[in-house]
């Protein structure tokens, strides 16, 4: 009995140690990725700064074009970093009303290759962003396809991040339903999105859903 108890204790300690090691490795990987993304974007946006000396000759749009081209020209970055950078650049394009450029950077062949190794949540987030670009261009059929693909990619994923993404998906669905004239169904989607977003503190999707109700 004593041997069994000792073995059980050793197994428990070993499992806890492995979990801590995995969490440490994940935290280190996330920190390294955030640092790489930050350094790349600071350098790129510095070129759009009119007070940055001879390099400050570009607009933000020009800087994003340069960043997008650099990604597909063989930057020595991991697929995880490239995915993060593409999503960041795509969001900037979307906010600049340059949705076609957003789709170009998110839909390139290298982007598809990098996306193949993404986890379900990251893949879903990428697809939702592409859907948002299609919505901005009033390409509803393509937007629906991307949203359906995002939901399928997310599958049965659990956790706050997955719940936040489901709220995001519902907001996009509600927006498309509204554009198609299905206002009652759209409002139901927005209400469900608010409930999910409230549950995990996803403030952006709360705001978007409430604004569209």
């Amino acid at each position: 009995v004593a041997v069994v108890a000792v073995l059980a204790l050793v197994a428990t300690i070993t499992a806890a140690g492995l979990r801590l090691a995995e969490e440490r490795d994940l935290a280190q990987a996330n920190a390294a990725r955030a640092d790489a993304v930050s350094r790349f974007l600071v350098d790129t946006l510095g070129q759009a700064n009119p007070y940055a000396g001879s390099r400050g000759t570009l607009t933000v749009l020009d800087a994003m074009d340069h960043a997008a081209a650099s990604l597909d020209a063989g930057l020595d970055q991991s697929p995880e970093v490239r995915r993060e950078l593409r999503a960041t650049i795509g969001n900037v394009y979307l906010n600049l009303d340059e949705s076609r450029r957003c789709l170009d950077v998110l839909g390139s062949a290298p982007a598809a290759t990098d996306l193949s190794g993404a986890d379900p949540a990251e893949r879903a987030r990428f697809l939702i962003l592409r859907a948002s670009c299609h919505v901005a261009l009033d390409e509803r059929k393509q937007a629906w396809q991307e949203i359906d693909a995002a939901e399928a990619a997310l599958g049965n994923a659990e956790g706050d991040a997955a719940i936040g993404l489901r709220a995001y998906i519902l907001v996009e669905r509600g927006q498309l339903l509204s554009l198609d004239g299905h206002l009652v169904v759209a409002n139901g989607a927005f209400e469900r999105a608010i409930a999910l977003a409230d549950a995990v503190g996803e403030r952006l999707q709360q705001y978007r859903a409430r604004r569209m109700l």
Side-chain angles (χ1 to χ4, degrees):
V1 175
V3 172
V4 172
V6 169
L7 289 175
L9 178 60
V10 169
T12 300
I13 293 173
T14 301
L18 288 173
R19 283 197 301 273
L20 288 173
E22 289 174 358
E23 291 172 2
R24 179 201 62 210
D25 292 345
L26 179 60
Q28 290 175 344
N30 287 339
R33 181 170 64 178
D35 182 62
V37 170
S38 177
R39 283 187 285 106
F40 181 85
L41 291 178
V42 166
D43 181 68
T44 300
L45 291 173
Q47 298 177 58
N49 182 352
Y51 303 104
S54 60
R55 299 176 65 208
T57 59
L58 302 179
T59 65
V60 172
L61 181 57
D62 289 335
M64 289 299 99
D65 287 343
H66 169 71
S70 298
L71 279 174
D72 291 340
L75 272 184
D76 187 19
Q77 303 283 5
S78 69
E80 292 80 10
V81 170
R82 288 195 299 269
R83 286 195 297 267
E84 189 74 26
L85 285 167
R86 282 197 178 89
T88 300
I89 294 166
N91 270 305
V92 173
Y93 276 144
L94 186 60
N95 288 323
L96 290 173
D97 293 325
E98 292 289 346
S99 298
R100 185 58 62 195
R101 279 181 164 92
C102 173
L103 288 172
D104 287 343
V105 75
L106 298 181
S108 67
T113 299
D114 287 342
L115 189 60
S116 64
D119 64 32
E122 193 173 6
R123 183 175 179 80
R125 186 177 293 106
F126 205 87
L127 294 168
I128 298 167
L129 179 55
R130 290 206 310 222
S132 297
C133 294
H134 283 301
V135 170
L137 293 166
D138 199 28
E139 296 174 347
R140 301 178 199 176
K141 180 179 179 181
Q142 295 92 325
W144 276 115
Q145 291 171 344
E146 299 285 10
I147 284 297
D148 288 341
E151 191 159 22
L154 198 55
N156 296 321
E158 300 178 348
D160 288 359
I163 293 171
L165 286 171
R166 289 191 177 92
Y168 194 173
I169 287 171
L170 283 167
V171 171
E172 296 302 315
R173 285 192 182 281
Q175 189 172 1
L176 286 167
L177 287 164
S178 295
L179 290 171
D180 288 339
H182 304 299
L183 299 182
V184 174
V185 182
N187 286 343
F190 292 138
E191 289 169 355
R192 294 197 303 277
I194 290 170
L196 290 178
D198 283 345
V200 295
E202 178 53 70
R203 297 185 182 279
L204 176 58
Q205 302 312 322
Q206 288 175 7
Y207 169 76
R208 293 182 69 224
R210 289 194 172 104
R211 187 186 64 179
M212 294 179 189
L213 266 175

